[in-house]
Each structure stands twice: as C-alpha cells, then as structure tokens.
Amino acid sequence: MSENVVPFHKHTDPPADTATVTTLTVVPDAPPARPVPLWVRSGRAVKTAVMHERTRSAGRSVVRHSLYTFNGGRIVARRTWDGRTGSRYERMIRAAEAAGNLEAAEEWEERLQRFRAARHHRRMDLLHSPVDAAKGVAVGAGMSIGLLVALGIVMAISTGDAGHVVTPLSATIDFIALLIRIVQVVWGPALTIGLFLALLALWSIGRKQHAAPAWALPANVRSGEGEPITPSIVVKALRDLGVPALARAIKEMGDAGASMLGPITIAGCGVEVDVTLPSGVSTNEVQNKRRKLAENLTRHEHEVFITIPQAARTVRLWIADSGALDEPIGPSPLVTDDTMTADYAKGKAPWGQDLRGDAAALSLYQRHLLITGLSNQGKTVALRSLALWLSLDRSVQFLIGDLKGVGDWAMFDGLATTLIQGPTDEHVIQVTEMVEGAVDEMNRRIQAPPGTTFPPLIVLVDEAQVAFMCPAKDADKRPYGGSKANSRYFMAVRKIHNQGRAVNVLMWQGTQDPTNENLPKLVREGAHTRASLALGTESQARMALGDKAVDGGAAPNLLRPGLDRGTLVVASDGITIPAGQSSITVRTHYIDDAARAITDRAKALRDGVTTLHAIERTEEHDPLADIAAIIGDAPRVRTKDVLARLAARNAGAYGGWSFLDLKRVLDDAGAGPYKSDGVMVVARDRVARALANRDSEGSASAD
C-alpha cells in the first residue's frame, strides 16, 4: 500500500543545482567620503549669499543712491560752472559748427561776447566794492551808536539818573552776546542738518536725472516703459546707434547734441522730431538701424518710423507712445454718419487715420488701385471700404470679381452691374471676360465724340493672384492666366491701365503675397495708388510699393502680421503725404456687419440695378429682351448706361454698339429713346410694351 504525501508548505529556497558552483567574493567596505573643507563650504555660502537676488537688489540700491548724490553734485557743479563761465556758449558754437549751421554759430558767438562784457563790468565793480562796503559799515555803526546814546540821554533826562545814558548801548551789547551764545549752541546741529539737506538736494537732482549706470537703475526705469521722449533721450539713442561718425560728432558737441533736433511735437499717439545729421553721416545709416534705434528709445521696432523729409541730411522720427499702436481706432464715418454721400470727382474716401491720429482720406478720381499683403491681414476690408464709400455716388458703376468666393462682396448684389464670386477656373474665365468687356466699353468711350463725359466704371478684382495663376486655356489655346502677351487676363488689365483712366474706366485689384508670378511687374507699375499691408520681405515691399517708396522709408515688411492687421503703407498722390516723404502709414477703419447697411443706402440712391452673376457667352441674343433685362425695375435709364450694361452683359454682341445701334433697335420696336431732364433715356414701360406686342404678334402668326 502506497501513501501519497501532500506538502502544505512551499519551499522558499530553490533547489540546489549540483552542476553549478557559485563563488561569493566579499568586498571590503568602501572608505567614508572625505568631509568638505570648511573654507569650501564657507565659500559656497558666501557665493550663494552674494548672488542672491535680494543681495543684488540691495547692492544696486546702494550704488544707485550713492551715485545719485555724487552725480547730482557733478550736475550742480556743471550748472554753476556754466552759469559763471562762457562754456555753455562755446559748446553751442561747436554744436552749430558741427551741424553746419553757421548762422546759429554766429548768433551764439554774439551772445558769448555780450556775456563776457557783462562779466567784465561785474568784476570791475568788485574792485571798488570793499572800500564802499567798509565805508558803509563805519557809517552804519556810527549812526547806530549815536542813536543809542541819544536814546540813553532821553532816558536819563526823563528819570534824572545819569547812568541811564549807557543803558540802551549796554542792552544792545548784551543782546548781541546772547545771539552769539545761541549761535554757538545751534551751530553744530545746524551745520550737520544743513549738510544733510544739501546732500538730500544733490540726491534729488541725481534721481530726477537718473544719474546712475543702467544696471543700477530700478527695473521699471531700465525697461523704459512709459518713459517720455526728451531731447536727451533722442540724442543718447542716436549716439549709441553704432555709427562712428555720428557718435564722434555728438561727443564733440558735449551735452548740446540736442542742437541736431528740431522741436519735439505731439503727433497723434506719439511724437515727431526732425534730426539734422552732422556732416559725414548719411540718412540710410540711420534708416538701416531702425530696430536698434527703437530699442535705444525703449520702444518696439514697430513703434518707431523713420522717413526722409525734404531737408538735406535730415531724418524724421515718429515715435509712438508705448502700446498706443495696439489700441483700435474709432469707427468709420460711413458707419456713424448715415447721411454721408460720395463725390467721385471731388471727394475723398474716409479710409482711416495716419500715425499722427489725423483722418486719412483717399481720392479715387481717375486712379488705378492695387492693394496687396499677406493673407488675413485686412486686404479685402480695406479695399471694400473704398468701394462702399464710392457706392454712395449714384453715377459710379461696378464690375466686381471676387475670386475668394466666401461672400465678402455679397452686399453688392443689386448694386454692381456684374458680381462673380468663386475661386474655380470657371470663375476666373468669367472674371476675365468681365474685364475684357470693360476693355470693349473703354474702346467705345475712346471712339466717342470729343467732349463726351462718361460715368465712372470701377472694374474690381479681389484675390487677383488666382487669375494670374490660372492654368486654363480657351479654344484658341490662349491662357487666361500668366504674364505673357497671349494671357487674356493680363492683357485686359494692361489695356485698362494704359487707356482707361482718360475715360473713367478704372482697374482695382487686391492680391496676396506678391511675387513676379502672381503679380507681374507691368501690372504692379500700372497702378496709381499702391498700398500694402504686412509683408514678409523687403523684396516683396518693393514689388508692392516700388523702389522709390521703399528707399524713402516705406517698410510694410516691418509691420507685424496679425497684430498690425488693417495697417497699410500707402504710396499715392491721392492721399496727403507729409512733404518730402514718399509714403504714409494708414490704420484703416474696420467695416464688417455695417457694410450691408451702407450698400442698402447706396441702392436707395439708384434707380435699381440688375446684377449679372455670370457673363453670357452664347452667340444667340435678343437685343430687345436684353435691354428689358438690364433696365430692371427702373422707370427709365439713360442711354449711355444702357449701352454700358449691355456691353457688360454680352461683350461679344454689344461691346461695339453705339447710340445709333441702340436707337435703331428701339425705333424698330416702337420704343425709341427720348429726352428727359436734358438727357436721352430709355423707358421701361415702352420696352415692356414693345416686347408684349412682339410676343402677341408672334403668337398670332403661329396660330
């Protein structure tokens, strides 16, 4: 009988492996770590204490206040020396000579001569003053003693006591002795207090002048936040600009370097000052160091603008208040004034504000327009605000192509004769044919009799880079995009640029991120008004505004993408630009939801416009039906407007029409034009009646 043994306890030790022998090596204990010497620990503690922020702050405070007192004494001594000598005049003479201002140098030399003459007279008077002072003291003492003796005689006679004769004199001597004792007691504390007050006064002068190294000044002073711009700050910023000739010239001028500066005037949300550079320093040396100059002025780079006025060797600095450019400007007058109207020929569009805070208005009369910049910087809003103002002139006609197609121009439906919205190649084809129709209208106007006036026709293409980059070709293999002579869009724009201005056919374009491919050179240079939002590089800035504007200080590439949204650098003779400058920076008004209300007001001023959303390219057309369609709900439309709308509707069929062609069609239908208020018009009722009669005659013939 076998028994099964069941173990109830688990063996914790593994079974021994007889085939493996493990050898254990006993390692002796490691020696204990050597203690850190006391001098090392003390050095570390001292270093920690010295480098602690509190210690450093206390050290800076001690140095700062000590130097305030010391340098305050130097300032007082310098002022005293300047007041007693002609050193101030000599410095001003040297400064005027260094600046090349000989007239000022002669004036200061004349003042120096007058100062020296007056000082000579004072010194000559001092030679006689000791004798005069001694005589005055002797006479005064004698009269005082005589007066006291006389007073004593009167007292003696009154009392009958002869001893009272010397009583007033004795009392006076006792009083003088009392004063001497008081002075002896008070002199020590008064001297100490007086010295303390003098040091306190010197400390106060040094503190106000920040007469200490920059590293010892308080943090808020070192950062310069909110520090006002003064002549000394501007001169120091120029001196530390890193231009050796400029630094040497300022050093030779002493502390009179401010003679380079014109008056510092308040200009909007900042200040403006003209700086006449000394001989040997060119304006571009200062322009190329804009960032360093801004930092020396305790400003950000975008808060300092450098332009070139008319005066030779002069730069104009506009320095913004800290953070002022980050604040939004007020609403547009188009929004706040619902009675505003526009005048294409004589008026100016309220576009925004310049950096001085003055209203910036742009004339649009016979000027082609180009606005460019990076994406999402406010290009469409800036372009649309001009069109919104111009829409309040009822004589202005619009052909609009929006190649973004997200509804930014939807409020012009019922206001524009043509409105095409979309980013596809088909939309580019439609926009191209719209622009070509405007070319046909331009040619018709050019062929009109001399003296004929025409209403303004604004051909507006937003996101024009889509058209230039379009790869589509027509049936004749001609590309719609590109910049070659066979490019349809490019050539149509060029033709309007060449001749459209004379007959009020104007080309407005908005485009992104300009390059030679998406904005050809000939198209850029054909615009009279060129404006740019923030760009990436200086080469793009030159494409957008031209070399002259950039060389004159225009720098849209230095605007901050996103933060400076809506800020434009404008080069145009249609806007007031300070004398000597080639461009101006404008912060445009933002008009968003109110745009539709403005276009509603513009539509109320008109007879009614039927907006086409596509260009008809069919060969078959019905002139009478097309005339009825473009008249829309208006009771009557001027014949020249009918011709323009017909050309926009079907350029191939009506682009070459004249007044005689229109009159022939209407006379044949029995709806001939007639004169109303001195102008020839076409009546909606007559055309509708002619269409109805024609349809009824056609039905009768069919029966």
Side-chain angles (χ1 to χ4, degrees):
M1 177 178 170
S2 63
E3 297 182 358
N4 294 329
V5 180
V6 179
F8 289 96
H9 300 281
K10 183 178 179 180
H11 296 284
T12 57
D13 296 329
D17 188 352
T18 56
T20 303
V21 178
T22 302
T23 304
L24 299 178
T25 303
V26 179
V27 180
D29 295 338
R34 297 179 59 185
V36 179
L38 178 61
W39 66 271
V40 174
R41 297 197 304 273
S42 301
R44 291 175 180 174
V46 171
K47 180 180 179 181
T48 301
V50 170
M51 298 302 293
H52 196 275
E53 182 60 30
R54 292 183 179 177
T55 305
R56 297 170 65 182
S57 298
R60 283 197 298 265
S61 179
V62 171
V63 172
R64 177 170 68 251
H65 292 291
S66 300
L67 290 177
Y68 279 168
T69 305
F70 176 76
N71 290 327
R74 292 178 61 244
I75 293 171
V76 171
R78 185 63 175 270
R79 291 175 180 174
T80 304
W81 178 258
D82 286 343
R84 303 293 297 176
T85 67
S87 59
R88 175 189 290 111
Y89 302 95
E90 293 173 355
R91 282 199 307 274
M92 298 303 291
I93 292 172
R94 291 195 301 269
E97 290 175 345
N101 192 345
L102 298 182
E103 293 182 0
E106 292 176 357
E107 181 181 351
W108 283 109
E109 186 174 6
E110 183 180 351
R111 292 183 181 182
L112 176 60
Q113 294 301 328
R114 291 200 300 267
F115 170 79
R116 286 174 173 172
R119 184 180 60 183
H120 175 72
H121 287 300
R122 289 194 301 271
R123 289 177 176 175
M124 294 301 295
D125 291 340
L126 288 175
L127 295 177
H128 305 285
S129 59
V131 177
D132 295 339
K135 290 181 180 179
V137 170
V139 172
M143 291 181 64
S144 298
I145 294 173
L147 182 62
L148 293 173
V149 171
L151 181 62
I153 293 173
V154 172
M155 292 177 62
I157 295 174
S158 175
T159 59
D161 185 358
H164 286 172
V165 173
V166 295
T167 298
L169 187 61
S170 176
T172 302
I173 294 173
D174 293 340
F175 178 72
I176 294 174
L178 177 62
L179 291 179
I180 292 174
R181 286 195 296 271
I182 292 174
V183 169
Q184 288 176 342
V185 173
V186 175
W187 177 254
L191 185 62
T192 303
I193 294 173
L195 179 61
F196 174 77
L197 292 177
L199 293 176
L200 183 62
L202 297 178
W203 172 86
S204 178
I205 293 173
R207 184 181 65 84
K208 290 180 179 179
Q209 297 293 327
H210 299 308
W215 59 267
L217 295 175
N220 61 333
V221 177
R222 291 199 305 270
S223 65
E225 292 295 334
E227 185 176 11
I229 299 299
T230 62
S232 61
I233 289 176
V234 177
V235 171
K236 290 178 182 177
L238 293 169
R239 182 195 64 194
D240 300 336
L241 204 54
V243 180
L246 181 59
R248 285 196 302 270
I250 293 176
K251 186 177 181 180
E252 292 175 359
M253 297 176 192
D255 64 351
S259 61
M260 298 189 306
L261 309 182
I264 298 179
T265 58
I266 296 176
C269 57
V271 297
E272 189 175 71
V273 59
D274 283 357
V275 181
T276 302
L277 301 175
S279 178
V281 182
S282 61
T283 55
N284 65 336
E285 289 181 282
V286 177
Q287 278 187 300
N288 294 336
K289 293 181 177 292
R290 178 187 176 194
R291 172 174 292 182
K292 189 170 185 179
L293 178 61
E295 292 173 350
N296 290 348
L297 293 167
T298 64
R299 295 295 189 271
H300 297 291
E301 184 179 9
H302 72 276
E303 294 176 331
V304 175
F305 287 81
I306 305 174
T307 54
I308 309 299
Q310 289 180 332
R313 289 190 295 111
T314 302
V315 293
R316 179 168 294 161
L317 306 181
W318 185 85
I319 307 161
D321 298 334
S322 293
L325 294 183
D326 297 328
E327 299 293 331
I329 64 174
S332 170
L334 290 173
V335 177
T336 58
D337 185 2
D338 57 4
T339 63
M340 176 176 285
T341 58
D343 187 338
Y344 161 75
K346 300 179 181 178
K348 290 188 175 183
W351 209 8
Q353 294 180 359
D354 62 15
L355 295 178
R356 299 173 62 92
D358 299 329
L362 179 67
S363 173
L364 304 173
Y365 179 65
Q366 292 187 345
R367 290 178 176 87
H368 301 303
L369 175 67
L370 172 65
I371 298 180
T372 186
L374 297 177
S375 177
N376 196 32
Q377 298 304 306
K379 168 183 55 62
T380 296
V381 173
L383 184 62
R384 189 177 62 192
S385 64
L386 297 177
L388 288 172
W389 176 79
L390 201 55
S391 69
L392 297 175
D393 184 339
R394 58 178 299 171
S395 67
V396 178
Q397 302 171 2
F398 292 95
L399 302 177
I400 298 177
D402 175 17
L403 293 178
K404 184 188 296 182
V406 296
D408 289 338
W409 297 88
M411 69 287 300
F412 279 82
D413 191 358
L415 187 61
T417 306
T418 302
L419 176 60
I420 299 170
Q421 303 179 88
T424 66
D425 290 348
E426 178 61 26
H427 290 101
V428 172
I429 294 171
Q430 294 279 339
V431 168
T432 301
E433 294 178 350
M434 178 190 76
V435 179
E436 290 174 338
V439 174
D440 294 335
E441 168 64 12
M442 176 189 72
N443 292 332
R444 185 189 68 80
R445 294 183 177 190
I446 292 173
Q447 296 170 6
T452 306
T453 59
F454 301 100
L457 176 61
I458 306 299
V459 186
L460 191 155
V461 179
D462 195 10
E463 306 296 342
Q465 77 279 355
V466 177
F468 285 112
M469 300 296 290
C470 179
K473 297 182 179 180
D474 62 10
D476 297 328
K477 304 300 181 182
R478 291 182 59 195
Y480 287 92
S483 58
K484 296 183 179 179
N486 62 344
S487 168
R488 292 182 58 176
Y489 180 79
F490 170 74
M491 290 306 298
V493 173
R494 285 293 301 146
K495 289 176 181 177
I496 294 178
H497 278 175
N498 290 338
Q499 295 180 296
R501 177 177 178 272
V503 289
N504 281 335
V505 177
L506 304 177
M507 191 76 208
W508 292 9
Q509 294 184 97
T511 182
Q512 289 184 16
D513 201 9
T515 65
N516 286 322
E517 289 73 25
N518 64 25
L519 188 59
K521 180 179 180 181
L522 293 178
V523 173
R524 301 194 303 259
E525 295 180 348
H528 302 99
T529 295
R530 299 167 70 173
S532 176
L533 296 111
L535 288 173
T537 63
E538 182 180 328
S539 62
Q540 288 181 319
R542 293 184 180 275
M543 292 181 187
L545 300 176
D547 292 336
K548 179 181 178 181
V550 174
D551 292 339
N557 53 301
L558 297 181
L559 295 174
R560 302 166 297 167
L563 296 177
D564 289 328
R565 185 179 290 111
T567 299
L568 290 161
V569 181
V570 185
S572 172
D573 61 350
I575 193 170
T576 302
I577 296 178
Q581 296 181 199
S582 57
S583 65
I584 187 172
T585 301
V586 177
R587 303 174 69 196
T588 58
H589 294 296
Y590 180 71
I591 304 175
D592 189 10
D593 297 336
R596 191 168 296 277
I598 297 171
T599 54
D600 289 342
R601 285 162 43 202
K603 294 172 187 177
L605 297 174
R606 301 168 186 255
D607 295 331
V609 176
T610 301
T611 299
L612 303 180
H613 296 280
I615 302 298
E616 296 185 7
R617 299 191 295 271
T618 58
E619 294 298 329
E620 298 180 0
H621 58 277
D622 183 347
L624 193 60
D626 289 342
I627 292 172
I630 60 97
I631 290 177
D633 297 332
R636 63 185 65 85
V637 179
R638 291 182 295 181
T639 53
K640 60 181 181 179
D641 293 342
V642 172
L643 288 171
R645 296 178 186 181
L646 284 174
R649 181 181 180 89
N650 192 336
Y654 307 114
W657 269 32
S658 66
F659 172 74
L660 295 177
D661 297 318
L662 177 63
K663 186 175 185 301
R664 174 180 51 80
V665 170
L666 292 174
D667 287 344
D668 292 344
Y674 63 95
K675 185 171 288 188
S676 175
D677 294 332
V679 296
M680 296 300 293
V681 298
V682 179
R684 179 192 62 189
D685 294 341
R686 293 187 179 187
V687 175
R689 187 165 54 251
L691 274 176
N693 293 337
R694 189 186 67 177
D695 294 341
S696 62
E697 292 175 0
S699 300
S701 300
D703 293 340

